[in-house]
């Protein structure tokens, strides 16, 4: 950087000497700074373009691709500006320290936001679920409508819009009900102790055989699971396609109740018996 101008020396020197001593060095520095800025911007654009092509080649999600490209462009531009200022003679050491301190302060202030961003990046990269899946995560359940950088949009079964922070989703257990093509339906029904177990199992098997939604493989399981206090509990475990799960569950429970009623198979329910004894002086109470 040119030396500071001394007023006394300035008066004594000729215009040509002043030009050579003070003006030309500044012009050289300005020219070099502009050159560094122009070339640096050209290189930064080239790097951003190459990174875009690389991410497109590995099929990175477009939302993440645009965000990473913008962030990379901003960081490279900041680096080019600092390099250009250094050519002008500006002390960039303190500037870099200031930027670093500001970055730490912003990071602490936006801790939750940065966590949501990092979780959003991981969700997009590893894809534990996709748009259209029915999931349970972050304390809510619904169909995934959109996966954003900071949050995900779900639609609840009763058509409510749920916006869930990605940090909450990724830090919790994710249950994806749509990840597999088939699901096992777990049903249990209790019959009275004096009911015919063989007839009950035969009735349940006929219900499953008559429903085209039940898959042949894996085979359905019908068995006694427990001799409970007031009932013999039977488990019914057929396999269906994931899309048929909810409708099949309700339909099968209804068919079991109607079929058991037709065949006289009783399903016990809690009842209370009250016994009264002769108590002396009861009439006075």
């Amino acid at each position: 950087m040119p030396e500071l101008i001394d007023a006394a020396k300035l008066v004594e020197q000729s215009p040509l000497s002043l030009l050579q001593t003070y003006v030309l060095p500044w012009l050289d520095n300005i020219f070099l700074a502009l050159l560094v800025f122009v070339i640096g911007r050209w290189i930064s654009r080239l790097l951003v373009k190459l990174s875009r092509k690389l991410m497109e080649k590995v099929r990175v999600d477009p939302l993440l691709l645009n965000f990473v490209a913008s962030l990379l462009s901003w960081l490279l531009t900041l680096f080019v500006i600092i390099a250009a200022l250094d050519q002008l003679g500006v002390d960039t050491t303190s500037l870099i320290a200031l930027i670093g301190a500001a970055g730490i302060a912003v990071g602490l202030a936006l801790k939750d936001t940065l966590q949501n961003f990092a979780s959003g990046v991981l969700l997009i990269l590893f894809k534990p679920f996709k748009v259209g899946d029915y999931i349970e995560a972050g304390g809510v359940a619904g169909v995934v409508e959109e996966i954003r950088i900071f949050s995900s949009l779900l639609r609840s079964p009763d058509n409510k819009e749920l916006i869930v922070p990605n940090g909450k989703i990724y830090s919790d257990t994710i249950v994806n009900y749509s990840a597999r093509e088939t699901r096992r339906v777990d049903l249990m029904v209790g019959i009275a102790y004096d009911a015919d177990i063989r007839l009950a199992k035969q009735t349940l098997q006929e219900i499953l055989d008559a429903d085209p939604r039940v898959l042949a493989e894996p085979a359905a399981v019908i068995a006694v699971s427990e001799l409970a206090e007031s009932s013999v509990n039977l488990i019914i475990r057929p396999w269906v396609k994931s899309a048929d799960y909810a409708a099949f569950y309700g339909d099968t429970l209804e068919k079991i109740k109607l079929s058991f009623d037709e065949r006289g198979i009783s399903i016990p329910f809690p009842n209370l018996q009250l016994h009264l004894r002769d108590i002396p002086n009861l009439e006075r109470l």
Side-chain angles (χ1 to χ4, degrees):
M1 181 178 179
E3 297 179 358
L4 295 176
I5 299 173
D6 190 336
K9 293 181 179 180
L10 185 63
V11 175
E12 296 174 357
Q13 294 181 3
S14 63
L16 182 59
S17 178
L18 289 174
L19 181 64
Q20 293 177 343
T21 305
Y22 300 105
V23 178
L24 291 180
W26 274 105
L27 291 177
D28 289 343
N29 289 340
I30 293 173
F31 175 77
L32 288 174
L34 289 174
L35 189 63
V36 168
F37 182 79
V38 172
I39 295 176
R41 285 292 294 156
W42 179 79
I43 294 175
S44 65
R45 289 193 185 99
L46 180 62
L47 291 175
V48 171
K49 187 176 181 180
L50 291 175
S51 66
R52 274 182 172 275
K53 289 184 177 180
L54 180 61
M55 288 187 288
E56 288 173 355
K57 188 175 181 179
V58 296
R59 297 181 180 179
V60 175
D61 187 271
L63 181 64
L64 179 60
L65 187 151
N66 292 329
F67 185 87
V68 171
S70 299
L71 182 62
L72 181 61
S73 177
W74 184 85
L75 291 175
L76 289 175
T77 300
L78 180 62
F79 177 78
V80 170
I81 291 174
I82 292 175
L85 291 175
D86 187 62
Q87 287 298 321
L88 286 176
V90 177
D91 185 8
T92 56
T93 304
S94 57
L95 179 62
I96 294 173
L98 180 62
I99 293 174
I104 294 174
V106 171
L108 291 175
L110 302 177
K111 181 181 66 173
D112 293 337
T113 302
L114 294 176
Q115 180 186 4
N116 290 330
F117 164 72
S119 300
V121 172
L122 294 174
L123 289 175
I124 293 172
L125 285 177
F126 295 108
K127 301 184 185 304
F129 54 82
K130 63 182 183 300
V131 174
D133 286 352
Y134 184 84
I135 69 168
E136 182 179 337
V140 299
V143 177
V144 180
E145 298 251 311
E146 188 178 352
I147 305 172
R148 301 168 180 168
I149 287 294
F150 296 102
S151 62
S152 294
L153 177 63
L154 278 66
R155 185 183 75 250
S156 67
D158 56 349
N159 205 34
K160 289 187 292 190
E161 187 174 280
L162 307 173
I163 300 175
V164 190
N166 286 332
K168 191 173 183 181
I169 292 177
Y170 202 79
S171 62
D172 199 0
T173 302
I174 301 174
V175 181
N176 190 340
Y177 294 98
S178 305
R180 307 300 176 107
E181 293 184 0
T182 60
R183 284 185 64 185
R184 191 183 74 183
V185 183
D186 291 342
L187 298 172
M188 187 183 71
V189 60
I191 61 174
Y193 268 91
D194 58 357
D196 189 336
I197 295 179
R198 294 185 181 87
L199 178 60
K201 293 177 66 175
Q202 178 186 343
T203 303
L204 294 173
Q205 188 64 58
E206 291 175 357
I207 293 173
L208 298 183
D209 293 340
D211 197 319
R213 294 171 294 187
V214 177
L215 302 177
E217 292 293 335
V221 174
I222 301 174
V224 176
S225 65
E226 182 185 11
L227 298 177
E229 186 175 345
S230 59
S231 65
V232 178
N233 294 332
L234 303 176
I235 55 170
I236 308 100
R237 292 176 175 172
W239 288 79
V240 299
K241 292 183 178 179
S242 297
D244 296 332
Y245 181 89
F248 175 83
Y249 192 98
D251 293 345
T252 304
L253 286 178
E254 181 179 349
K255 291 175 184 177
I256 291 173
K257 177 63 170 66
L258 295 175
S259 298
F260 277 16
D261 288 347
E262 289 176 0
R263 300 190 178 186
I265 303 172
S266 61
I267 300 176
F269 54 89
N271 57 79
L272 177 66
Q273 293 182 347
L274 181 63
H275 299 276
L276 296 178
R277 298 180 179 179
D278 293 335
I279 301 176
N281 302 323
L282 179 62
E283 295 179 354
R284 298 179 181 178
L285 298 179

